[in-house]
Amino acid sequence: MDFHWFLPTNGDSRDIVGGGHGTPVGSAGGVRPLTVGYLGQIARSAEQLGFTGALTPTGAWCEDAWLTTAMLTEATERLKFLVAFRPGLISPTLAAQMASTFQRLSGGRLLLNVVTGGEAAEQRSYGDFLGKDERYARTDEFLAIIRALWRGETVTHEGPHLHVEGAKLSRLPDPIPEIYFGGSSQAAGPVAVKHVQTYLTWGEPPSQVAGKLAWIRSIGGGHLRFGIRLHVITRDTAEQAWAEADRLLQGISPDAIAAVQAGLRKSESVGQQRMLALHGGSRDGLLVSPNLWAGVGLVRGGAGTALVGSHVEVADRIAEYASLGIEEFILSGYPHLEEAYWFGEGVLPELARRGLWRNPLRAEALTSVPFAGLARPEPTAAS
């Protein structure tokens, strides 16, 4: 399995930070000042802890992902950057060129997260007036063009939404960036099957995730890798973890929940509506599956669930998702700097002990800190 962390380019806090899918930045809690230095701290910590990469979001609610991650390549050595971008807002030829430049200058550390865009109002603010299904059709064209360019082809394409003539890259990316893609609507599945390497889902209960993966496999996606986007609250004991979840919840006012939920209910995103259905906008019944807490989604658009528990319990849940076919985990937590260490020093060693994860920084076994309830693994040559 591969584990990725998250770069909070909308700001960070000891409380839940709102934003995404039409919600205003700062919907819940104050934010730490957003600087390259602070994001560099998070990126370096993720790298040192053994995370493969870091997701950077896209949208009006955060800083630009391309520019931010380009700056952070100088602060890191190995960490890959999963850059989220919206294909309707940029030329496919320019996007292919930007990706090629990023790969060469970063030493091959670019991954791409294609976000078709689920909110019409935000898309229109960028000058995009297509409907949702049309946006997926345009994404199909877009990905076909950039993949052909990356193969070194000269591309002339005149489709319903995109038109390029004689497009060709002077230098090809090496390696070609892997493409990640998420979408729960019926229009999303065929695009994923046709063009991407990793299909992503938000953190729904395992039974719902199993159904979504079965759908993708049934339409020809058996060759894809699968990933999941989750928050985490992991501590030495379950009691400490749930106390932190309760603290986060107490920091959210009923007025903030009502305002954010009213906005999210207008979302066109099927995935967002599935997130809302888990909690219904209520503080009650937030435990939607063992160790899966929906409290984040009360005031944050997009990924709204967190794995909460002891390090061993969180490792159990990750193993459960892995048994369904999930191979990549994109995680985050508040604050992102501290929570990276809770997970990296608590859960990753437990997964290594079980043979489910290997630290990419070194071949020998990762020695754990002796947290409560977590046995120290004996290093072996095989692990």
Side-chain angles (χ1 to χ4, degrees):
M1 295 185 289
D2 285 316
F3 290 88
H4 307 266
W5 199 239
F6 184 82
L7 295 174
T9 57
N10 60 317
D12 204 4
S13 174
R14 292 183 180 273
D15 299 310
I16 298 173
V17 180
H21 286 267
T23 63
V25 176
S27 296
V31 296
R32 291 179 175 177
L34 181 63
T35 65
V36 173
Y38 179 63
L39 291 175
Q41 279 186 281
I42 298 173
R44 286 190 297 273
S45 296
E47 182 173 73
Q48 292 161 5
L49 288 165
F51 289 94
T52 298
L55 171 66
T56 308
T58 185
W61 58 290
C62 57
E63 299 292 346
D64 179 77
W66 287 100
L67 294 175
T68 303
T69 54
M71 295 178 186
L72 293 175
T73 59
E74 289 295 289
T76 52
E77 297 178 356
R78 175 194 58 82
L79 192 73
K80 296 182 179 181
F81 294 98
L82 181 50
V83 174
F85 77 103
R86 299 183 183 185
L89 309 182
I90 187 173
S91 152
T93 306
L94 179 58
Q97 181 185 21
M98 290 167 61
S100 181
T101 298
F102 200 115
Q103 284 295 69
R104 285 193 302 279
L105 300 186
S106 70
R109 292 195 281 150
L110 175 67
L111 305 169
L112 290 175
N113 179 29
V114 174
V115 180
T116 297
E119 310 310 323
E122 187 176 14
Q123 293 296 124
R124 289 194 296 268
S125 75
Y126 282 99
D128 177 16
F129 293 87
L130 293 183
K132 183 179 177 182
D133 286 349
E134 291 176 304
R135 292 197 294 270
Y136 276 113
R138 180 180 57 196
T139 297
D140 186 7
E141 291 184 55
F142 184 98
L143 292 176
I145 292 169
I146 66 169
R147 292 180 69 211
L149 289 170
W150 287 341
R151 292 193 296 267
E153 299 174 15
T154 299
V155 179
T156 294
H157 172 93
E158 186 169 1
H161 306 292
L162 296 174
H163 183 190
V164 299
E165 185 175 325
K168 186 176 178 63
L169 296 181
S170 62
R171 301 183 69 182
L172 302 181
D174 183 22
I176 292 174
E178 293 186 12
I179 299 175
Y180 292 63
F181 178 91
S184 299
S185 68
Q186 290 302 307
V191 177
V193 169
K194 187 176 180 181
H195 295 295
V196 312
Q197 286 74 53
T198 301
Y199 174 80
L200 298 175
T201 179
W202 283 327
E204 300 174 3
S207 60
Q208 295 182 25
V209 170
K212 188 178 289 187
L213 302 194
W215 164 55
I216 293 294
R217 293 184 180 113
S218 73
I219 59 173
H223 63 287
L224 297 180
R225 286 172 64 87
F226 294 109
I228 194 167
R229 173 78 179 92
L230 287 156
H231 304 278
V232 288
I233 304 173
T234 179
R235 295 292 186 271
D236 298 355
T237 67
E239 292 76 15
Q240 292 171 342
W242 284 110
E244 176 63 12
D246 290 340
R247 187 194 67 79
L248 291 174
L249 187 60
Q250 293 305 311
I252 304 171
S253 72
D255 288 345
I257 294 174
V260 171
Q261 292 300 302
L264 293 178
R265 282 193 292 271
K266 300 175 184 177
S267 173
E268 295 178 336
S269 167
V270 174
Q272 181 63 73
Q273 295 306 318
R274 290 169 68 109
M275 283 281 103
L276 294 182
L278 294 177
H279 55 71
S282 171
R283 290 171 174 266
D284 301 322
L286 292 175
L287 184 62
V288 297
S289 186
N291 301 105
L292 186 65
W293 183 68
V296 177
L298 292 176
V299 288
R300 184 193 193 277
T305 54
L307 294 178
V308 182
S310 69
H311 305 308
V312 170
E313 289 174 334
V314 171
D316 289 342
R317 300 287 77 77
I318 287 173
E320 183 178 9
Y321 282 116
S323 71
L324 303 177
I326 298 293
E327 298 178 72
E328 306 213 16
F329 293 79
I330 302 173
L331 308 174
S332 57
Y334 300 101
H336 288 74
L337 180 61
E338 290 92 323
E339 204 64 47
Y341 278 96
W342 280 113
F343 187 89
E345 293 179 338
V347 180
L348 287 181
E350 172 64 11
L351 293 170
R353 185 185 68 80
R354 302 183 189 192
L356 295 175
W357 177 77
R358 181 186 294 238
N359 188 341
L361 296 179
R362 53 190 185 272
E364 67 270 19
L366 180 65
T367 302
S368 75
V369 178
F371 291 117
L374 178 63
R376 182 188 296 275
E378 294 296 329
T380 64
S383 63

